[in-house]
Amino acid sequence: MDYRQIFALFLPILIDQAFIVGLNLLNTAMISSSGVAAVSAVNMVDSLNIFLISVFVAVATGGTVVVAQYKGSGNDLMVSRASAGTITAVALIALGIGLLIMGLHNPLLNLLFGSASADVMDNAKIYLIGSSASYVGIAIVSAVCAALRGVGKTRASLALSLIMNLLYVVLNVVFINFLHMGVPGMTLAINIARYAGAVCALFYLFRMEATLHLHLRDLVHFPLSMLRKIMFIGIPFAAEQMFFNGGKILTQVFIVSLGTYAIATNAIGASLAGVIQIPAAALSLTVVTVVGQCIGRGNIADARKFMKSFLWLGSASLALTGLILMPFFRPLVGLFDPPAEIVDDIFLLLLINTIIQVPLWSISFILPSALRAAGDSRFTSVTSMLTMWLFRVVFGYVLGITLGFGILGVWVAMNCEWGVRGAIFLWRFRGKKWYAHRLI
């Protein structure tokens, strides 16, 4: 695999990430027109959505790793079986999670965000039930895209993602801006878009994608040994994501106690930070396919070389996007129409985060993606869980609540956690244990 092939993999993923983050930014800006209570409710529920969706997306990532390694070894039959196993497992997990959350939405919201105001909670209940109903749709799209990324079909993955996300934005414009439906309109839009995306993904897989040779019956007839391989990567990563995003939800609980303006500050700051991280996030997805195929061929030297390149590229991209976007802070934050009292707070959060992420983000996020692609899932997951809870949660509470630094303290604790986690992953990368696993 040469750098031209890697760039051909990376470019569609970059466009996909740019659209996802940009469209989420646009959606947040649109719902902001319905008031601070609406944007606060959507942000609260989305932190829970990210926690839940990350579970089946983690299993899909396990599928990407297995598919990529089989692709690297040249075993087309097992590539097909790994793809089928990924789609079935992810869809069933999403169905179970969605039904559970719809049944327990009331006690769950009261437990996590009971201190929020009544109007925020009313909007949050509507959005949580609607989001839960859409989980199977986004799970199918995520699983199909994961399998396609594993074999290097990132253009097809991009097309499916764009269909779903562009439809979501168009429907939001209709339901929120024209029909003034607020949070119920956003809920309706997310369901229509995700299930339409799922139909398109399955149609593409069965009717248009020739290399995977998949049929509908393959989704119910796949060997359990394949499921175990997928879960070997997927379960530790899912546990990591649950603990990681669970810690973020607990941090969100701290923020809710600081008031509605604090929730809005955190939501807008996180949305803008996500824009700056677009190229680096695309690299963290691309490296899974690259390293997975290198390991499948048994080429450790290539895997090491590409991992180092991706780390440098990640830091360089964060520096470049920060330099380009920070001067446009005012027009960007203006998209959200925030109260004037919180604009300076958002700028301070974003400035500190933009500077600190240049040396720390890549080793904290791109490197563990590469280690996981080599089969080193247990170490990366345990490390991420421990650092998340010891530093981001505990230290965030101390800085933000106990010492009274508020949102700034919570974000600084997050940046410190990146540094600790990244240092541990660098130490692991210098050794030999990360590529000693035999997945296929």
mmCIF file of all heavy atoms in Angstrom, residues 197-245:
data_model
loop_
_atom_site.group_PDB
_atom_site.id
_atom_site.type_symbol
_atom_site.label_atom_id
_atom_site.label_comp_id
_atom_site.label_asym_id
_atom_site.label_seq_id
_atom_site.Cartn_x
_atom_site.Cartn_y
_atom_site.Cartn_z
ATOM 1 N N GLY A 197 -31.678 6.108 4.748
ATOM 2 C CA GLY A 197 -30.268 5.752 4.573
ATOM 3 C C GLY A 197 -30.046 4.254 4.672
ATOM 4 O O GLY A 197 -29.257 3.671 3.916
ATOM 5 N N ALA A 198 -30.743 3.598 5.610
ATOM 6 C CA ALA A 198 -30.608 2.145 5.787
ATOM 7 C C ALA A 198 -31.101 1.395 4.552
ATOM 8 O O ALA A 198 -30.465 0.431 4.101
ATOM 9 C CB ALA A 198 -31.373 1.702 7.028
ATOM 10 N N VAL A 199 -32.231 1.831 3.990
ATOM 11 C CA VAL A 199 -32.760 1.200 2.776
ATOM 12 C C VAL A 199 -31.759 1.339 1.623
ATOM 13 O O VAL A 199 -31.480 0.372 0.899
ATOM 14 C CB VAL A 199 -34.125 1.825 2.392
ATOM 15 C CG1 VAL A 199 -34.567 1.359 1.004
ATOM 16 C CG2 VAL A 199 -35.183 1.457 3.423
ATOM 17 N N CYS A 200 -31.196 2.525 1.468
ATOM 18 C CA CYS A 200 -30.201 2.754 0.402
ATOM 19 C C CYS A 200 -28.945 1.900 0.626
ATOM 20 O O CYS A 200 -28.377 1.354 -0.331
ATOM 21 C CB CYS A 200 -29.819 4.231 0.344
ATOM 22 S SG CYS A 200 -31.131 5.322 -0.211
ATOM 23 N N ALA A 201 -28.511 1.773 1.882
ATOM 24 C CA ALA A 201 -27.305 0.995 2.195
ATOM 25 C C ALA A 201 -27.500 -0.476 1.846
ATOM 26 O O ALA A 201 -26.622 -1.107 1.233
ATOM 27 C CB ALA A 201 -26.962 1.150 3.670
ATOM 28 N N LEU A 202 -28.654 -1.037 2.205
ATOM 29 C CA LEU A 202 -28.919 -2.448 1.913
ATOM 30 C C LEU A 202 -29.108 -2.675 0.411
ATOM 31 O O LEU A 202 -28.654 -3.689 -0.139
ATOM 32 C CB LEU A 202 -30.148 -2.923 2.690
ATOM 33 C CG LEU A 202 -29.975 -2.996 4.217
ATOM 34 C CD1 LEU A 202 -31.288 -3.367 4.890
ATOM 35 C CD2 LEU A 202 -28.879 -3.998 4.600
ATOM 36 N N PHE A 203 -29.758 -1.738 -0.254
ATOM 37 C CA PHE A 203 -29.920 -1.844 -1.709
ATOM 38 C C PHE A 203 -28.564 -1.845 -2.395
ATOM 39 O O PHE A 203 -28.303 -2.660 -3.293
ATOM 40 C CB PHE A 203 -30.777 -0.690 -2.238
ATOM 41 C CG PHE A 203 -30.964 -0.717 -3.728
ATOM 42 C CD1 PHE A 203 -31.929 -1.522 -4.306
ATOM 43 C CD2 PHE A 203 -30.156 0.057 -4.551
ATOM 44 C CE1 PHE A 203 -32.094 -1.559 -5.690
ATOM 45 C CE2 PHE A 203 -30.303 0.025 -5.927
ATOM 46 C CZ PHE A 203 -31.277 -0.783 -6.500
ATOM 47 N N TYR A 204 -27.691 -0.942 -1.971
ATOM 48 C CA TYR A 204 -26.353 -0.880 -2.564
ATOM 49 C C TYR A 204 -25.598 -2.184 -2.319
ATOM 50 O O TYR A 204 -24.942 -2.732 -3.224
ATOM 51 C CB TYR A 204 -25.558 0.291 -1.976
ATOM 52 C CG TYR A 204 -24.110 0.313 -2.446
ATOM 53 C CD1 TYR A 204 -23.781 0.866 -3.675
ATOM 54 C CD2 TYR A 204 -23.098 -0.253 -1.668
ATOM 55 C CE1 TYR A 204 -22.470 0.853 -4.127
ATOM 56 C CE2 TYR A 204 -21.787 -0.264 -2.116
ATOM 57 C CZ TYR A 204 -21.473 0.286 -3.348
ATOM 58 O OH TYR A 204 -20.184 0.261 -3.791
ATOM 59 N N LEU A 205 -25.693 -2.695 -1.115
ATOM 60 C CA LEU A 205 -24.939 -3.885 -0.731
ATOM 61 C C LEU A 205 -25.366 -5.110 -1.540
ATOM 62 O O LEU A 205 -24.520 -5.881 -2.000
ATOM 63 C CB LEU A 205 -25.153 -4.153 0.765
ATOM 64 C CG LEU A 205 -24.100 -4.990 1.485
ATOM 65 C CD1 LEU A 205 -22.756 -4.295 1.474
ATOM 66 C CD2 LEU A 205 -24.554 -5.251 2.915
ATOM 67 N N PHE A 206 -26.665 -5.278 -1.728
ATOM 68 C CA PHE A 206 -27.164 -6.488 -2.386
ATOM 69 C C PHE A 206 -27.230 -6.370 -3.910
ATOM 70 O O PHE A 206 -27.109 -7.371 -4.615
ATOM 71 C CB PHE A 206 -28.564 -6.841 -1.860
ATOM 72 C CG PHE A 206 -28.589 -7.153 -0.385
ATOM 73 C CD1 PHE A 206 -29.619 -6.690 0.423
ATOM 74 C CD2 PHE A 206 -27.578 -7.891 0.209
ATOM 75 C CE1 PHE A 206 -29.654 -6.973 1.785
ATOM 76 C CE2 PHE A 206 -27.591 -8.179 1.565
ATOM 77 C CZ PHE A 206 -28.640 -7.718 2.348
ATOM 78 N N ARG A 207 -27.440 -5.152 -4.405
ATOM 79 C CA ARG A 207 -27.680 -4.990 -5.842
ATOM 80 C C ARG A 207 -26.515 -4.375 -6.616
ATOM 81 O O ARG A 207 -26.385 -4.586 -7.829
ATOM 82 C CB ARG A 207 -28.914 -4.095 -6.063
ATOM 83 C CG ARG A 207 -30.207 -4.675 -5.520
ATOM 84 C CD ARG A 207 -30.666 -5.858 -6.347
ATOM 85 N NE ARG A 207 -31.950 -6.365 -5.887
ATOM 86 C CZ ARG A 207 -32.582 -7.393 -6.431
ATOM 87 N NH1 ARG A 207 -32.044 -7.997 -7.463
ATOM 88 N NH2 ARG A 207 -33.737 -7.807 -5.939
ATOM 89 N N MET A 208 -25.670 -3.597 -5.957
ATOM 90 C CA MET A 208 -24.658 -2.826 -6.679
ATOM 91 C C MET A 208 -23.226 -3.176 -6.313
ATOM 92 O O MET A 208 -22.316 -2.958 -7.109
ATOM 93 C CB MET A 208 -24.889 -1.319 -6.427
ATOM 94 C CG MET A 208 -26.258 -0.834 -6.892
ATOM 95 S SD MET A 208 -26.579 0.888 -6.432
ATOM 96 C CE MET A 208 -25.384 1.737 -7.444
ATOM 97 N N GLU A 209 -22.975 -3.714 -5.112
ATOM 98 C CA GLU A 209 -21.614 -4.011 -4.665
ATOM 99 C C GLU A 209 -21.242 -5.446 -5.032
ATOM 100 O O GLU A 209 -21.723 -6.407 -4.422
ATOM 101 C CB GLU A 209 -21.494 -3.800 -3.146
ATOM 102 C CG GLU A 209 -20.129 -4.118 -2.575
ATOM 103 C CD GLU A 209 -19.000 -3.416 -3.312
ATOM 104 O OE1 GLU A 209 -19.005 -2.173 -3.393
ATOM 105 O OE2 GLU A 209 -18.127 -4.126 -3.833
ATOM 106 N N ALA A 210 -20.369 -5.592 -6.025
ATOM 107 C CA ALA A 210 -20.033 -6.923 -6.534
ATOM 108 C C ALA A 210 -18.928 -7.608 -5.739
ATOM 109 O O ALA A 210 -18.880 -8.833 -5.656
ATOM 110 C CB ALA A 210 -19.623 -6.819 -8.004
ATOM 111 N N THR A 211 -18.028 -6.845 -5.133
ATOM 112 C CA THR A 211 -16.842 -7.454 -4.512
ATOM 113 C C THR A 211 -17.165 -8.230 -3.241
ATOM 114 O O THR A 211 -16.463 -9.185 -2.896
ATOM 115 C CB THR A 211 -15.785 -6.380 -4.195
ATOM 116 O OG1 THR A 211 -16.371 -5.396 -3.322
ATOM 117 C CG2 THR A 211 -15.294 -5.697 -5.448
ATOM 118 N N LEU A 212 -18.217 -7.853 -2.511
ATOM 119 C CA LEU A 212 -18.533 -8.535 -1.260
ATOM 120 C C LEU A 212 -19.405 -9.782 -1.460
ATOM 121 O O LEU A 212 -19.469 -10.632 -0.570
ATOM 122 C CB LEU A 212 -19.234 -7.570 -0.291
ATOM 123 C CG LEU A 212 -18.373 -6.429 0.260
ATOM 124 C CD1 LEU A 212 -19.198 -5.517 1.146
ATOM 125 C CD2 LEU A 212 -17.186 -6.974 1.038
ATOM 126 N N HIS A 213 -20.087 -9.876 -2.600
ATOM 127 C CA HIS A 213 -20.900 -11.059 -2.936
ATOM 128 C C HIS A 213 -21.905 -11.393 -1.825
ATOM 129 O O HIS A 213 -22.030 -12.541 -1.416
ATOM 130 C CB HIS A 213 -20.005 -12.282 -3.194
ATOM 131 C CG HIS A 213 -18.932 -12.031 -4.203
ATOM 132 N ND1 HIS A 213 -19.200 -11.838 -5.548
ATOM 133 C CD2 HIS A 213 -17.584 -11.929 -4.062
ATOM 134 C CE1 HIS A 213 -18.060 -11.635 -6.199
ATOM 135 N NE2 HIS A 213 -17.076 -11.682 -5.326
ATOM 136 N N LEU A 214 -22.611 -10.394 -1.355
ATOM 137 C CA LEU A 214 -23.556 -10.614 -0.256
ATOM 138 C C LEU A 214 -24.990 -10.780 -0.763
ATOM 139 O O LEU A 214 -25.398 -10.139 -1.737
ATOM 140 C CB LEU A 214 -23.518 -9.429 0.723
ATOM 141 C CG LEU A 214 -22.445 -9.461 1.809
ATOM 142 C CD1 LEU A 214 -22.526 -8.196 2.646
ATOM 143 C CD2 LEU A 214 -22.589 -10.675 2.699
ATOM 144 N N HIS A 215 -25.743 -11.646 -0.068
ATOM 145 C CA HIS A 215 -27.164 -11.827 -0.322
ATOM 146 C C HIS A 215 -27.907 -11.700 1.003
ATOM 147 O O HIS A 215 -27.310 -11.791 2.080
ATOM 148 C CB HIS A 215 -27.432 -13.195 -0.961
ATOM 149 C CG HIS A 215 -26.686 -13.418 -2.234
ATOM 150 N ND1 HIS A 215 -27.086 -12.889 -3.444
ATOM 151 C CD2 HIS A 215 -25.528 -14.103 -2.485
ATOM 152 C CE1 HIS A 215 -26.237 -13.246 -4.385
ATOM 153 N NE2 HIS A 215 -25.272 -13.977 -3.837
ATOM 154 N N LEU A 216 -29.220 -11.516 0.921
ATOM 155 C CA LEU A 216 -30.020 -11.320 2.133
ATOM 156 C C LEU A 216 -29.880 -12.483 3.105
ATOM 157 O O LEU A 216 -29.809 -12.299 4.318
ATOM 158 C CB LEU A 216 -31.490 -11.108 1.752
ATOM 159 C CG LEU A 216 -32.436 -10.712 2.897
ATOM 160 C CD1 LEU A 216 -32.002 -9.396 3.533
ATOM 161 C CD2 LEU A 216 -33.869 -10.609 2.387
ATOM 162 N N ARG A 217 -29.813 -13.710 2.593
ATOM 163 C CA ARG A 217 -29.703 -14.884 3.468
ATOM 164 C C ARG A 217 -28.395 -14.901 4.253
ATOM 165 O O ARG A 217 -28.311 -15.525 5.315
ATOM 166 C CB ARG A 217 -29.832 -16.161 2.644
ATOM 167 C CG ARG A 217 -28.727 -16.378 1.626
ATOM 168 C CD ARG A 217 -28.886 -17.697 0.866
ATOM 169 N NE ARG A 217 -27.827 -17.886 -0.119
ATOM 170 C CZ ARG A 217 -27.885 -17.443 -1.362
ATOM 171 N NH1 ARG A 217 -28.963 -16.794 -1.777
ATOM 172 N NH2 ARG A 217 -26.869 -17.636 -2.203
ATOM 173 N N ASP A 218 -27.354 -14.205 3.731
ATOM 174 C CA ASP A 218 -26.064 -14.191 4.432
ATOM 175 C C ASP A 218 -26.157 -13.490 5.781
ATOM 176 O O ASP A 218 -25.332 -13.720 6.662
ATOM 177 C CB ASP A 218 -24.994 -13.499 3.573
ATOM 178 C CG ASP A 218 -24.719 -14.247 2.284
ATOM 179 O OD1 ASP A 218 -24.802 -15.497 2.315
ATOM 180 O OD2 ASP A 218 -24.428 -13.600 1.268
ATOM 181 N N LEU A 219 -27.146 -12.612 5.934
ATOM 182 C CA LEU A 219 -27.280 -11.863 7.175
ATOM 183 C C LEU A 219 -27.785 -12.736 8.324
ATOM 184 O O LEU A 219 -27.649 -12.367 9.492
ATOM 185 C CB LEU A 219 -28.217 -10.662 6.986
ATOM 186 C CG LEU A 219 -27.789 -9.631 5.940
ATOM 187 C CD1 LEU A 219 -28.744 -8.454 5.940
ATOM 188 C CD2 LEU A 219 -26.359 -9.143 6.177
ATOM 189 N N VAL A 220 -28.379 -13.871 8.012
ATOM 190 C CA VAL A 220 -28.861 -14.772 9.079
ATOM 191 C C VAL A 220 -28.062 -16.067 9.133
ATOM 192 O O VAL A 220 -28.191 -16.833 10.088
ATOM 193 C CB VAL A 220 -30.365 -15.091 8.906
ATOM 194 C CG1 VAL A 220 -31.190 -13.853 9.157
ATOM 195 C CG2 VAL A 220 -30.666 -15.659 7.516
ATOM 196 N N HIS A 221 -27.224 -16.329 8.124
ATOM 197 C CA HIS A 221 -26.402 -17.543 8.112
ATOM 198 C C HIS A 221 -24.928 -17.147 8.046
ATOM 199 O O HIS A 221 -24.351 -17.030 6.971
ATOM 200 C CB HIS A 221 -26.760 -18.425 6.911
ATOM 201 C CG HIS A 221 -28.141 -18.971 6.958
ATOM 202 N ND1 HIS A 221 -28.552 -19.899 7.892
ATOM 203 C CD2 HIS A 221 -29.235 -18.719 6.189
ATOM 204 C CE1 HIS A 221 -29.821 -20.196 7.703
ATOM 205 N NE2 HIS A 221 -30.278 -19.485 6.686
ATOM 206 N N PHE A 222 -24.344 -16.907 9.181
ATOM 207 C CA PHE A 222 -22.900 -16.647 9.236
ATOM 208 C C PHE A 222 -22.337 -17.400 10.438
ATOM 209 O O PHE A 222 -23.021 -17.607 11.437
ATOM 210 C CB PHE A 222 -22.599 -15.149 9.332
ATOM 211 C CG PHE A 222 -23.125 -14.501 10.576
ATOM 212 C CD1 PHE A 222 -22.325 -14.373 11.701
ATOM 213 C CD2 PHE A 222 -24.420 -14.001 10.627
ATOM 214 C CE1 PHE A 222 -22.805 -13.772 12.854
ATOM 215 C CE2 PHE A 222 -24.911 -13.412 11.778
ATOM 216 C CZ PHE A 222 -24.100 -13.294 12.892
ATOM 217 N N PRO A 223 -21.090 -17.876 10.363
ATOM 218 C CA PRO A 223 -20.528 -18.720 11.429
ATOM 219 C C PRO A 223 -20.319 -17.952 12.728
ATOM 220 O O PRO A 223 -19.924 -16.775 12.714
ATOM 221 C CB PRO A 223 -19.185 -19.190 10.838
ATOM 222 C CG PRO A 223 -18.860 -18.192 9.776
ATOM 223 C CD PRO A 223 -20.160 -17.690 9.237
ATOM 224 N N LEU A 224 -20.568 -18.631 13.854
ATOM 225 C CA LEU A 224 -20.361 -18.006 15.167
ATOM 226 C C LEU A 224 -18.894 -17.677 15.402
ATOM 227 O O LEU A 224 -18.577 -16.751 16.137
ATOM 228 C CB LEU A 224 -20.879 -18.933 16.276
ATOM 229 C CG LEU A 224 -22.405 -19.077 16.355
ATOM 230 C CD1 LEU A 224 -22.780 -20.070 17.449
ATOM 231 C CD2 LEU A 224 -23.067 -17.733 16.617
ATOM 232 N N SER A 225 -17.996 -18.449 14.768
ATOM 233 C CA SER A 225 -16.560 -18.154 14.906
ATOM 234 C C SER A 225 -16.240 -16.768 14.370
ATOM 235 O O SER A 225 -15.385 -16.054 14.907
ATOM 236 C CB SER A 225 -15.728 -19.204 14.168
ATOM 237 O OG SER A 225 -16.064 -19.223 12.784
ATOM 238 N N MET A 226 -16.970 -16.344 13.318
ATOM 239 C CA MET A 226 -16.777 -14.998 12.778
ATOM 240 C C MET A 226 -17.278 -13.951 13.752
ATOM 241 O O MET A 226 -16.649 -12.901 13.949
ATOM 242 C CB MET A 226 -17.509 -14.872 11.436
ATOM 243 C CG MET A 226 -17.372 -13.505 10.783
ATOM 244 S SD MET A 226 -15.645 -13.085 10.466
ATOM 245 C CE MET A 226 -15.277 -14.330 9.214
ATOM 246 N N LEU A 227 -18.422 -14.242 14.371
ATOM 247 C CA LEU A 227 -18.965 -13.314 15.353
ATOM 248 C C LEU A 227 -17.993 -13.125 16.517
ATOM 249 O O LEU A 227 -17.819 -12.012 17.017
ATOM 250 C CB LEU A 227 -20.306 -13.831 15.861
ATOM 251 C CG LEU A 227 -21.082 -12.917 16.807
ATOM 252 C CD1 LEU A 227 -21.420 -11.599 16.125
ATOM 253 C CD2 LEU A 227 -22.354 -13.596 17.299
ATOM 254 N N ARG A 228 -17.338 -14.205 16.924
ATOM 255 C CA ARG A 228 -16.353 -14.106 18.020
ATOM 256 C C ARG A 228 -15.182 -13.218 17.636
ATOM 257 O O ARG A 228 -14.671 -12.451 18.463
ATOM 258 C CB ARG A 228 -15.866 -15.498 18.423
ATOM 259 C CG ARG A 228 -16.875 -16.293 19.245
ATOM 260 C CD ARG A 228 -16.220 -17.483 19.925
ATOM 261 N NE ARG A 228 -15.803 -18.487 18.946
ATOM 262 C CZ ARG A 228 -16.555 -19.500 18.549
ATOM 263 N NH1 ARG A 228 -17.788 -19.636 19.037
ATOM 264 N NH2 ARG A 228 -16.100 -20.375 17.671
ATOM 265 N N LYS A 229 -14.729 -13.312 16.389
ATOM 266 C CA LYS A 229 -13.621 -12.450 15.931
ATOM 267 C C LYS A 229 -14.020 -10.974 15.970
ATOM 268 O O LYS A 229 -13.252 -10.115 16.405
ATOM 269 C CB LYS A 229 -13.200 -12.838 14.514
ATOM 270 C CG LYS A 229 -12.568 -14.219 14.376
ATOM 271 C CD LYS A 229 -12.253 -14.508 12.921
ATOM 272 C CE LYS A 229 -11.843 -15.963 12.714
ATOM 273 N NZ LYS A 229 -10.562 -16.273 13.369
ATOM 274 N N ILE A 230 -15.240 -10.705 15.484
ATOM 275 C CA ILE A 230 -15.730 -9.317 15.481
ATOM 276 C C ILE A 230 -15.858 -8.802 16.914
ATOM 277 O O ILE A 230 -15.463 -7.676 17.226
ATOM 278 C CB ILE A 230 -17.082 -9.236 14.740
ATOM 279 C CG1 ILE A 230 -16.892 -9.569 13.258
ATOM 280 C CG2 ILE A 230 -17.709 -7.849 14.895
ATOM 281 C CD1 ILE A 230 -18.190 -9.792 12.499
ATOM 282 N N MET A 231 -16.399 -9.643 17.793
ATOM 283 C CA MET A 231 -16.600 -9.234 19.180
ATOM 284 C C MET A 231 -15.295 -9.121 19.959
ATOM 285 O O MET A 231 -15.218 -8.401 20.948
ATOM 286 C CB MET A 231 -17.547 -10.210 19.880
ATOM 287 C CG MET A 231 -18.975 -10.151 19.358
ATOM 288 S SD MET A 231 -19.677 -8.495 19.503
ATOM 289 C CE MET A 231 -21.293 -8.745 18.759
ATOM 290 N N PHE A 232 -14.244 -9.840 19.510
ATOM 291 C CA PHE A 232 -12.935 -9.728 20.163
ATOM 292 C C PHE A 232 -12.429 -8.292 20.121
ATOM 293 O O PHE A 232 -11.826 -7.789 21.067
ATOM 294 C CB PHE A 232 -11.923 -10.661 19.483
ATOM 295 C CG PHE A 232 -10.529 -10.574 20.065
ATOM 296 C CD1 PHE A 232 -10.208 -11.214 21.246
ATOM 297 C CD2 PHE A 232 -9.537 -9.819 19.430
ATOM 298 C CE1 PHE A 232 -8.932 -11.126 21.795
ATOM 299 C CE2 PHE A 232 -8.262 -9.722 19.965
ATOM 300 C CZ PHE A 232 -7.963 -10.388 21.153
ATOM 301 N N ILE A 233 -12.697 -7.633 19.001
ATOM 302 C CA ILE A 233 -12.365 -6.204 18.878
ATOM 303 C C ILE A 233 -13.513 -5.352 19.388
ATOM 304 O O ILE A 233 -13.329 -4.371 20.109
ATOM 305 C CB ILE A 233 -12.065 -5.838 17.410
ATOM 306 C CG1 ILE A 233 -10.907 -6.683 16.862
ATOM 307 C CG2 ILE A 233 -11.757 -4.346 17.284
ATOM 308 C CD1 ILE A 233 -9.582 -6.415 17.508
ATOM 309 N N GLY A 234 -14.739 -5.735 19.017
ATOM 310 C CA GLY A 234 -15.897 -4.883 19.269
ATOM 311 C C GLY A 234 -16.288 -4.752 20.721
ATOM 312 O O GLY A 234 -16.626 -3.651 21.182
ATOM 313 N N ILE A 235 -16.249 -5.852 21.506
ATOM 314 C CA ILE A 235 -16.714 -5.784 22.898
ATOM 315 C C ILE A 235 -15.806 -4.908 23.767
ATOM 316 O O ILE A 235 -16.308 -4.037 24.491
ATOM 317 C CB ILE A 235 -16.885 -7.196 23.490
ATOM 318 C CG1 ILE A 235 -18.131 -7.845 22.883
ATOM 319 C CG2 ILE A 235 -17.017 -7.150 25.008
ATOM 320 C CD1 ILE A 235 -18.421 -9.234 23.373
ATOM 321 N N PRO A 236 -14.467 -5.099 23.742
ATOM 322 C CA PRO A 236 -13.635 -4.163 24.532
ATOM 323 C C PRO A 236 -13.813 -2.711 24.101
ATOM 324 O O PRO A 236 -13.840 -1.807 24.939
ATOM 325 C CB PRO A 236 -12.207 -4.652 24.262
ATOM 326 C CG PRO A 236 -12.353 -6.073 23.864
ATOM 327 C CD PRO A 236 -13.644 -6.148 23.115
ATOM 328 N N PHE A 237 -13.946 -2.491 22.788
ATOM 329 C CA PHE A 237 -14.128 -1.128 22.300
ATOM 330 C C PHE A 237 -15.485 -0.585 22.722
ATOM 331 O O PHE A 237 -15.619 0.595 23.091
ATOM 332 C CB PHE A 237 -13.973 -1.103 20.776
ATOM 333 C CG PHE A 237 -13.899 0.288 20.195
ATOM 334 C CD1 PHE A 237 -13.336 1.339 20.905
ATOM 335 C CD2 PHE A 237 -14.399 0.555 18.935
ATOM 336 C CE1 PHE A 237 -13.267 2.621 20.378
ATOM 337 C CE2 PHE A 237 -14.338 1.828 18.393
ATOM 338 C CZ PHE A 237 -13.772 2.858 19.111
ATOM 339 N N ALA A 238 -16.523 -1.448 22.696
ATOM 340 C CA ALA A 238 -17.848 -1.019 23.146
ATOM 341 C C ALA A 238 -17.834 -0.679 24.633
ATOM 342 O O ALA A 238 -18.417 0.325 25.057
ATOM 343 C CB ALA A 238 -18.874 -2.121 22.869
ATOM 344 N N ALA A 239 -17.141 -1.520 25.429
ATOM 345 C CA ALA A 239 -17.018 -1.229 26.865
ATOM 346 C C ALA A 239 -16.279 0.082 27.082
ATOM 347 O O ALA A 239 -16.671 0.912 27.920
ATOM 348 C CB ALA A 239 -16.284 -2.370 27.561
ATOM 349 N N GLU A 240 -15.223 0.288 26.282
ATOM 350 C CA GLU A 240 -14.478 1.549 26.375
ATOM 351 C C GLU A 240 -15.377 2.732 26.058
ATOM 352 O O GLU A 240 -15.386 3.749 26.772
ATOM 353 C CB GLU A 240 -13.300 1.522 25.403
ATOM 354 C CG GLU A 240 -12.573 2.852 25.278
ATOM 355 C CD GLU A 240 -11.693 2.925 24.052
ATOM 356 O OE1 GLU A 240 -11.195 1.888 23.594
ATOM 357 O OE2 GLU A 240 -11.511 4.045 23.541
ATOM 358 N N GLN A 241 -16.143 2.607 24.966
ATOM 359 C CA GLN A 241 -17.021 3.699 24.562
ATOM 360 C C GLN A 241 -18.103 3.967 25.606
ATOM 361 O O GLN A 241 -18.473 5.116 25.858
ATOM 362 C CB GLN A 241 -17.653 3.383 23.210
ATOM 363 C CG GLN A 241 -16.681 3.401 22.052
ATOM 364 C CD GLN A 241 -16.035 4.747 21.856
ATOM 365 O OE1 GLN A 241 -16.694 5.732 21.545
ATOM 366 N NE2 GLN A 241 -14.734 4.820 22.040
ATOM 367 N N MET A 242 -18.616 2.900 26.234
ATOM 368 C CA MET A 242 -19.621 3.085 27.275
ATOM 369 C C MET A 242 -19.042 3.827 28.475
ATOM 370 O O MET A 242 -19.655 4.769 28.988
ATOM 371 C CB MET A 242 -20.167 1.726 27.714
ATOM 372 C CG MET A 242 -21.066 1.057 26.693
ATOM 373 S SD MET A 242 -21.665 -0.551 27.231
ATOM 374 C CE MET A 242 -22.815 -0.052 28.527
ATOM 375 N N PHE A 243 -17.851 3.412 28.910
ATOM 376 C CA PHE A 243 -17.217 4.101 30.030
ATOM 377 C C PHE A 243 -16.801 5.508 29.643
ATOM 378 O O PHE A 243 -16.970 6.460 30.409
ATOM 379 C CB PHE A 243 -15.996 3.307 30.513
ATOM 380 C CG PHE A 243 -16.329 2.240 31.501
ATOM 381 C CD1 PHE A 243 -16.745 0.987 31.084
ATOM 382 C CD2 PHE A 243 -16.246 2.480 32.870
ATOM 383 C CE1 PHE A 243 -17.061 -0.008 31.996
ATOM 384 C CE2 PHE A 243 -16.564 1.501 33.790
ATOM 385 C CZ PHE A 243 -16.977 0.252 33.357
ATOM 386 N N PHE A 244 -16.259 5.638 28.424
ATOM 387 C CA PHE A 244 -15.773 6.937 27.961
ATOM 388 C C PHE A 244 -16.920 7.931 27.838
ATOM 389 O O PHE A 244 -16.880 9.034 28.403
ATOM 390 C CB PHE A 244 -15.076 6.755 26.611
ATOM 391 C CG PHE A 244 -14.360 7.978 26.119
ATOM 392 C CD1 PHE A 244 -13.102 8.300 26.596
ATOM 393 C CD2 PHE A 244 -14.941 8.806 25.176
ATOM 394 C CE1 PHE A 244 -12.436 9.434 26.146
ATOM 395 C CE2 PHE A 244 -14.288 9.939 24.721
ATOM 396 C CZ PHE A 244 -13.030 10.247 25.208
ATOM 397 N N ASN A 245 -17.966 7.526 27.119
ATOM 398 C CA ASN A 245 -19.100 8.434 26.934
ATOM 399 C C ASN A 245 -19.960 8.529 28.186
ATOM 400 O O ASN A 245 -20.642 9.522 28.398
ATOM 401 C CB ASN A 245 -19.926 7.980 25.731
ATOM 402 C CG ASN A 245 -19.213 8.233 24.425
ATOM 403 O OD1 ASN A 245 -18.892 9.360 24.081
ATOM 404 N ND2 ASN A 245 -18.912 7.174 23.699
#
